[in-house]
Amino acid sequence: MKLDATDQKIIEALIRDARMSLKELATQAGLSSPGVSERIRRLQERGVIRGFTADIDPKALGYSLQAIVRIRPLPGKLHIVRQLIQDIPEFCECDKVTGEDCFIARLAVPSIELLDGILDKISDKAETSTAIVKSQPIQRRPPPLVVTEDD
């Protein structure tokens, strides 16, 4: 889905600060406040903007460790493993992927002991391979915005 230059300005501004006032957003986009409001509504209807959220730092909440876990469910256990991952709140993200592993998940935990306990819950249903995250040089970010030439 392509965006025009005005939509791109709005999205880039919201990425920087989703709490920006409509007045400030309108100034940056070169539109009126009602015009920006209408553009945001259309971007939401098209599914470009899925929501507005807070970016929480897990460390500030006591989750000092993050781990990436590759999960390969045992035969016949795919749906059980998927449900377990969904039910364990320390799993912050999970992708179903191609290849030998079925899931790649990110966990936030306060200790290695809790990580072990979580992995124990799925160990009889899946093989896992775990890596502790040392740093995150690139935080989650959106893909580049594609702009149409006819705006």
Side-chain angles (χ1 to χ4, degrees):
M1 181 175 300
K2 298 200 178 206
L3 306 171
D4 67 20
T6 303
D7 287 340
Q8 183 177 3
K9 286 178 190 176
I10 291 168
I11 292 169
E12 287 173 345
L14 289 172
I15 288 169
R16 285 190 305 275
D17 180 6
R19 294 188 61 192
M20 180 180 297
S21 71
L22 280 177
K23 181 179 177 183
E24 177 60 27
L25 193 53
T27 300
Q28 289 189 25
L31 296 172
S32 66
S33 291
V36 165
S37 182
E38 177 62 20
R39 288 276 188 142
I40 290 171
R41 185 189 61 73
R42 285 196 314 238
L43 288 167
Q44 288 175 300
E45 286 176 354
R46 289 171 41 201
V48 175
I49 296 175
R50 292 187 295 189
F52 301 90
T53 185
D55 183 17
I56 306 297
D57 183 355
K59 288 181 182 176
L61 298 175
Y63 296 98
S64 56
L65 293 174
Q66 289 192 39
I68 305 296
V69 183
R70 298 168 57 107
I71 303 167
R72 183 183 311 169
L74 297 174
K77 304 290 184 179
L78 176 72
H79 298 295
I80 295 168
V81 171
R82 180 176 33 213
Q83 191 61 53
L84 275 170
I85 293 168
Q86 290 174 342
D87 292 345
I88 297 171
E90 288 83 3
F91 279 104
C92 302
E93 298 178 23
C94 181
D95 295 308
K96 186 173 182 186
V97 298
T98 60
E100 291 188 22
D101 299 313
C102 190
F103 300 107
I104 298 179
R106 179 180 288 265
L107 286 111
V109 293
S111 67
I112 290 288
E113 293 79 17
L114 185 57
L115 175 62
D116 281 341
I118 290 169
L119 295 177
D120 285 346
K121 290 179 183 178
I122 60 174
S123 66
D124 62 335
K125 297 163 191 66
E127 295 177 10
T128 62
S129 175
T130 305
I132 301 297
V133 176
K134 292 173 30 178
S135 69
Q136 197 174 9
I138 299 174
Q139 297 287 321
R140 177 182 291 263
R141 63 183 178 193
L145 301 176
V146 179
V147 179
T148 60
E149 296 298 322
D150 56 338
D151 46 359

